[in-house]
Each structure stands twice: as C-alpha cells, then as structure tokens.
C-alpha cells in the first residue's frame, strides 16, 4: 500500500512546518472576525484555541493512518473500501479540494475589486490568476513548497504593523471575559473551522516529504504557529473595535491597516493586499495540485491535461459569481464541507482502517 516517490521530487522534513501553516493562512484572515464572534463575542478567542487543539488531534489521526508506510489518501481509500468504492471516495475528496482552491481564488478577486480596482472585470482577473495557477502548479510540488516558505516568512515580517492599531486599543472591549456558555464557544469554534482548513492536504503530499518519523513534529509546530497568529490578530481586532462594530465590518483586518501611514505612502493597505497574493498562492495551488495528484493516482492519467481542465472550471465558476453575497455563500459551503471532511470523514476512515488491519492480521495469524 506504500506510495513510492523518487527522492528528487521530495522535500526536507522541516518544510512540513511551512506547508501546514501556509495552507492554513489564506484569505480568511482578512475578514473572519465577524463570523467567529457571532456566538461567543469577546470570548471567541477561546473558540480559536478549541479549534486549533482539535486540529492537532486530527493531525495525530492522519499520521496514525498514513504510517508506518508512506501512504496517501488514495491508497488508504482503496485499502479500506476496495478499488471501485475507494476511487469514488477519492473523487469526492477531489471535489472538496477543488472547492477549497476555488474559494481562495474567487475571494481574493473580490478583495481586489472592493479595495483596489472597483471597475476591473472578474473575467480579466480570473484569466490572470488562472495563468499564475497553471504556471506554479505545473512546475511540481517542490516549487509549491518554495512558495509556502515565502508565504510564511513575508507575513511574519508584516506583523510589525500591529504596532499601529495597538496604540488605539481598549482592554474594556474584552470584558466581561469567560461570560459565554460552552455551547456558544463551540458554535464559534465551528465558525472558525475555515481558518484552519488546508492542513488536510498532507493526506496527498505526505509521500513527498523525507523522514516520515519527523513529519508529525513539524506539522504540529505549523498548526501551533497558526493558532498563535490567529490569536494575536483576534486580540488586536477585539481590542481595537468593539463587538457591535466588528459585526458590521466586512474586512476588519484591512480596516485596521487603514490607519498605517508613512510620509511616503498614503494607502498602505494597497501594498498589503498585493503582498498577500504570495500568501494565498500556497492554499490555492496546493489544493489544486492535490486534485491533479488524485487523478494521477486513481486513473494514471497525465495530470497536466486535467490541471488545465480544473483551471478552466475555476475561471468559469469565478465569472458566474456576480456579487459579494454569492462569494460568501461559496465560502460558507467550503467551510461546511471542510468541517465534515476533517471531523467526520477522516475519523471514520481511520476507524475503518484500524478494523480492516486487525481483521487482516487475525486472518493471517489463523493460517
């Protein structure tokens, strides 16, 4: 059941940190505050910790499922359910991965249209980003890993910008603390699922990483760094805006950046938005790469032809969404499907594999 990948196509183990964190940090960090504070309000930071810790548990399950051999999702599906049903489940996973890539793709176009170029057409940006998507994904997993590396380093440098909103924070906005029941905290935790999605693509790129014994450590560090980043942004947002304002703001993170002024630069958020393109490339491209990988592993078809097909589908779907409300509906759909995938499908697949392995072991022993 092990998946063989030549060493020349593999990356060093510590890059797992960048792959996991870069996949989780995308367009959602620009506008997530209203969603997570809908139920738990100023206590929503607790919900972020709940979600982050639960992702650690899901990662633990994934590594138990993929080890000791370097498997991937396609291999595990076929092992548990056979060739036909296993392939069908892999295709369903492909549909989810494509939806995740499309969500980032279309949401970033929405940001460009709202903040920078209000008159530019969706089809124009879709074709440009589609070409970028093809160029990066077609160059292979090692190139994606390089973009993941810079997709972590650059935003980390931008963290110095929190100095500007911190000068105008008010700790009163975090009070009363711990005032919401666990049910509200869990509802906010569910709403924050979209922020942490992306780590599950390790189900497909796991065989492309060397030294499988050290992969879990770097993956846990990557997810931990994601938790810390979201907690910092959440605390700054909640201390800068009161809860009534946050619920009405479509882009709280970008609104905070509007106060950043330099003598030589009036609208710094424009620079930030274009730098953020490097941040959204990993989640957009790794999920698309996972789609082509599933096609290659399931049907042995050449992936580049299907990559073009997937990108054309992305461009057409992007143009068909005419307004912000439609984009938000797609984001909610992606969040709900992702929630089912990581909290229901992966645990069930893990249990099925354990039962199947034990059954086969007993069968061999009886002989």
């Amino acid at each position: 059941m092990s998946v063989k990948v030549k060493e020349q196509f593999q990356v060093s183990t510590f890059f797992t940190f960048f792959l996991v964190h870069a996949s989780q940090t995308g367009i959602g960090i620009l506008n997530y505050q209203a969603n997570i504070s809908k139920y738990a309000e100023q206590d929503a930071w607790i919900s972020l910790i709940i979600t982050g810790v639960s992702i650690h548990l899901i990662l633990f399950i994934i590594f138990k499922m993929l080890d000791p051999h370097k498997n991937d999702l396609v291999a595990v599906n076929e092992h548990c359910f056979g060739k036909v049903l296993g392939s069908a489940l892999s295709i369903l996973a492909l549909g989810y991965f494509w939806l995740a890539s499309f969500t980032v793709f279309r949401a970033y176009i929405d940001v460009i249209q709202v903040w920078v170029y209000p008159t530019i057409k969706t089809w124009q940006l879709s074709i440009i980003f589609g070409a970028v998507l093809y160029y990066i994904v077609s160059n292979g997993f090692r190139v994606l890993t390089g973009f993941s590396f810079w997709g972590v380093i650059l935003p980390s440098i931008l963290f110095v910008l929190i100095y500007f909103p911190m000068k105008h924070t008010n700790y009163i906005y975090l009070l009363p603390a711990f005032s919401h029941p666990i049910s509200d905290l869990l509802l906010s935790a569910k709403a924050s699922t979209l922020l942490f999605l992306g780590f599950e693509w390790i189900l497909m790129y796991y065989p492309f990483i060397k030294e499988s014994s050290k992969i879990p450590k770097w993956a846990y560090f990557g997810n931990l760094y994601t938790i810390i980043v979201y907690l910092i942004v959440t605390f700054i947002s909640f201390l800068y805006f009161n809860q009534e304002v946050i619920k009405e703001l479509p882009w709280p993170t970008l609104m905070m950046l509007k106060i950043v002024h330099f003598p030589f630069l009036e609208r710094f958020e424009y620079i930030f938005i274009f730098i953020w393109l490097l941040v959204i490339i990993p989640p957009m491209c790794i999920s698309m790469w996972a789609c082509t990988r599933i096609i290659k592993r399931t049907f042995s078809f050449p992936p580049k032809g299907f990559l073009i097909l997937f990108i054309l589908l992305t461009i057409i779907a992007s143009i068909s969404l005419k307004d912000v409300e439609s984009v938000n509906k797609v984001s909610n759909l992606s969040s709900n499907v992702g929630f089912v995938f990581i909290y229901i499908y992966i645990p069930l697949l893990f249990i099925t594999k354990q039962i199947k392995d034990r059954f086969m072991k007993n069968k061999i022993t009886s002989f």
Side-chain angles (χ1 to χ4, degrees), residues 35-55 178 180-193 195-196 227 230-231 234-235 238 343:
N35 288 333
I36 67 166
S37 62
K38 184 177 180 181
Y39 302 100
E41 297 183 310
Q42 70 275 6
D43 287 335
W45 59 272
I46 303 173
S47 304
L48 283 175
I49 296 176
I50 294 172
T51 305
V53 171
S54 70
I55 298 301
F178 307 105
H180 291 80
I182 186 67
S183 57
D184 286 346
L185 296 177
L186 292 177
L187 286 171
S188 283
K190 182 178 181 297
S192 65
T193 302
L195 296 174
F196 289 87
I227 298 172
Y230 283 132
L231 280 177
T234 300
F235 275 122
F238 285 7
Y343 288 117

Side-chain angles (χ1 to χ4, degrees), residues 1 56-68 71-73 75-81 89 203 220 340-359:
M1 194 170 57
H56 264 71
L57 295 175
I58 299 298
L59 278 170
F60 175 80
I61 289 175
I62 287 175
F63 294 130
K64 282 289 182 184
M65 191 163 58
L66 299 182
D67 283 337
N71 299 316
D72 61 11
L73 182 65
V76 176
N77 277 334
E78 291 185 5
H79 172 71
C80 294
F81 304 105
L89 290 171
L203 284 163
Y220 296 143
V340 171
F341 185 84
I342 64 173
Y343 288 117
I344 297 178
Y345 176 68
I346 291 177
L348 286 177
L349 187 61
F350 171 71
I351 294 170
T352 304
K353 183 174 182 297
Q354 296 301 309
I355 295 173
K356 182 75 179 288
D357 287 345
R358 182 160 298 185
F359 174 77

Side-chain angles (χ1 to χ4, degrees), residues 148-169:
S148 299
F149 175 81
W150 289 110
V152 173
I153 298 299
L154 274 183
S156 300
I157 296 173
L158 291 175
F159 256 103
V160 297
L161 297 174
I162 64 174
Y163 165 76
F164 293 93
M166 279 186 68
K167 293 190 295 185
H168 305 282
T169 54

Side-chain angles (χ1 to χ4, degrees), residues 273-319:
I273 288 170
F274 286 114
I275 292 177
W276 212 250
L277 174 61
L278 191 58
V279 178
I280 68 151
I281 280 176
M284 188 170 66
C285 293
I286 295 176
S287 51
M288 190 63 78
W289 175 86
C291 293
T292 61
R293 181 70 183 166
I294 289 175
I295 288 293
K296 183 178 180 180
R297 292 271 298 115
T298 305
F299 304 110
S300 301
F301 289 158
K304 284 194 176 180
F306 276 88
L307 174 60
I308 295 173
L309 179 65
F310 291 142
I311 291 175
L312 286 176
L313 186 61
T314 301
I315 293 173
I316 293 170
S318 176
I319 296 170

Side-chain angles (χ1 to χ4, degrees), residues 93-361:
L94 182 155
Y96 161 58
F97 291 163
W98 177 84
L99 179 64
S101 176
F102 172 67
T103 301
V104 179
F105 184 95
R106 187 60 181 85
Y108 187 70
I109 288 176
D110 192 42
V111 172
I112 295 288
Q113 290 175 321
V114 170
W115 284 84
V116 186
Y117 299 117
T119 57
I120 196 168
K121 303 297 183 185
T122 303
W123 66 267
Q124 294 170 328
L125 288 173
S126 297
I127 291 174
I128 293 171
F129 291 141
V132 172
L133 193 59
Y134 176 79
Y135 175 76
I136 296 173
V137 177
S138 62
N139 276 285
F141 182 72
R142 290 172 64 90
V143 172
L144 292 177
T145 304
F147 274 96
S148 299
F149 175 81
W150 289 110
V152 173
I153 298 299
L154 274 183
S156 300
I157 296 173
L158 291 175
F159 256 103
V160 297
L161 297 174
I162 64 174
Y163 165 76
F164 293 93
M166 279 186 68
K167 293 190 295 185
H168 305 282
T169 54
N170 189 341
Y171 75 91
I172 294 295
Y173 294 156
L174 279 181
L175 300 178
F178 307 105
S179 58
H180 291 80
I182 186 67
S183 57
D184 286 346
L185 296 177
L186 292 177
L187 286 171
S188 283
K190 182 178 181 297
S192 65
T193 302
L194 182 64
L195 296 174
F196 289 87
L197 293 178
F199 74 93
E200 68 274 19
W201 302 325
I202 199 169
L203 284 163
M204 291 308 302
Y205 64 70
Y206 186 77
F208 286 78
I209 302 173
K210 301 174 182 176
E211 296 185 272
S212 58
S213 62
K214 298 179 181 177
I215 294 176
K217 177 183 69 176
W218 291 108
Y220 296 143
F221 281 151
N223 186 57
L224 177 62
Y225 186 53
T226 302
I227 298 172
I228 293 171
V229 167
Y230 283 132
L231 280 177
I232 291 173
V233 177
T234 300
F235 275 122
I236 298 298
S237 304
F238 285 7
L239 290 168
Y240 187 79
F241 301 110
N242 66 49
Q243 287 298 313
E244 296 304 318
V245 173
I246 276 189
K247 289 174 182 175
E248 302 299 326
L249 287 178
W251 306 97
T253 305
L254 291 176
M255 293 298 290
M256 284 194 296
L257 289 172
K258 289 189 73 172
I259 69 167
V260 178
H261 290 290
F262 297 102
F264 55 90
L265 186 64
E266 184 66 20
R267 299 293 300 271
F268 178 79
E269 71 268 22
Y270 289 176
I271 304 296
F272 180 87
I273 288 170
F274 286 114
I275 292 177
W276 212 250
L277 174 61
L278 191 58
V279 178
I280 68 151
I281 280 176
M284 188 170 66
C285 293
I286 295 176
S287 51
M288 190 63 78
W289 175 86
C291 293
T292 61
R293 181 70 183 166
I294 289 175
I295 288 293
K296 183 178 180 180
R297 292 271 298 115
T298 305
F299 304 110
S300 301
F301 289 158
K304 284 194 176 180
F306 276 88
L307 174 60
I308 295 173
L309 179 65
F310 291 142
I311 291 175
L312 286 176
L313 186 61
T314 301
I315 293 173
I316 293 170
S318 176
I319 296 170
S320 68
L321 297 184
K322 301 296 184 183
D323 50 37
V324 176
E325 188 178 347
S326 302
V327 177
N328 290 335
K329 286 181 179 176
V330 171
S331 295
N332 291 334
L333 175 64
S334 183
S335 177
N336 291 329
V337 175
F339 183 87
V340 171
F341 185 84
I342 64 173
Y343 288 117
I344 297 178
Y345 176 68
I346 291 177
L348 286 177
L349 187 61
F350 171 71
I351 294 170
T352 304
K353 183 174 182 297
Q354 296 301 309
I355 295 173
K356 182 75 179 288
D357 287 345
R358 182 160 298 185
F359 174 77
M360 292 181 69
K361 186 177 179 181

